[in-house]
Amino acid sequence: KCFIQINSESVNTNYSTIDVLDAFEGKTYATYIGHIVCDNTFTGNTKICQSDSGNIWFDGNNVRNPSDYRVGFGGIINGGIGDTNTQKQFLEHIHPFMND
């Protein structure tokens, strides 16, 4: 396996996406979408990151629902409520993929 992490950010929309893929197999092991900054002082919405979410599939089967690990908003699909720690929790859980 050759895991790669792809990060993209859009400063204009304050969004960030993170994906962990196996470059050889083409499988998606993790995906995250959320805000770059959670405390948006411009809009005054301190709960802006409630819609942030991420999923991790330990076997790379990203069509399986539910995923093995979920973080953030989404009820049935993603579970929980996102907050300022959602991205940090996601990054901590993909760390083992990036160190193997």
Side-chain angles (χ1 to χ4, degrees):
K1 296 192 183 298
C2 176
F3 291 112
I4 57 171
Q5 179 179 330
I6 302 170
N7 297 3
S8 62
E9 293 184 352
S10 173
V11 178
N12 292 339
T13 61
N14 188 30
Y15 267 101
S16 171
T17 61
I18 302 168
D19 294 297
V20 175
L21 313 164
D22 182 325
F24 295 133
E25 295 178 352
K27 292 182 177 181
T28 300
Y29 282 78
T31 187
Y32 172 86
I33 185 167
H35 292 82
I36 299 168
V37 178
C38 288
D39 184 10
N40 193 333
T41 55
F42 180 72
T43 65
N45 183 359
T46 57
K47 296 184 179 189
I48 196 167
C49 287
Q50 283 187 331
S51 62
D52 296 0
S53 65
N55 288 287
I56 298 173
W57 299 269
F58 299 131
D59 61 0
N61 181 6
N62 68 325
V63 295
R64 186 170 39 81
N65 187 18
S67 60
D68 295 307
Y69 180 78
R70 300 173 296 197
V71 62
F73 179 82
I76 294 171
I77 296 173
N78 293 328
I81 298 290
D83 61 17
T84 57
N85 294 315
T86 302
Q87 187 177 67
K88 180 181 177 202
Q89 290 171 352
F90 178 80
L91 292 171
E92 287 172 353
H93 281 80
I94 65 168
H95 188 71
F97 288 112
M98 307 316 296
N99 285 329
D100 288 344

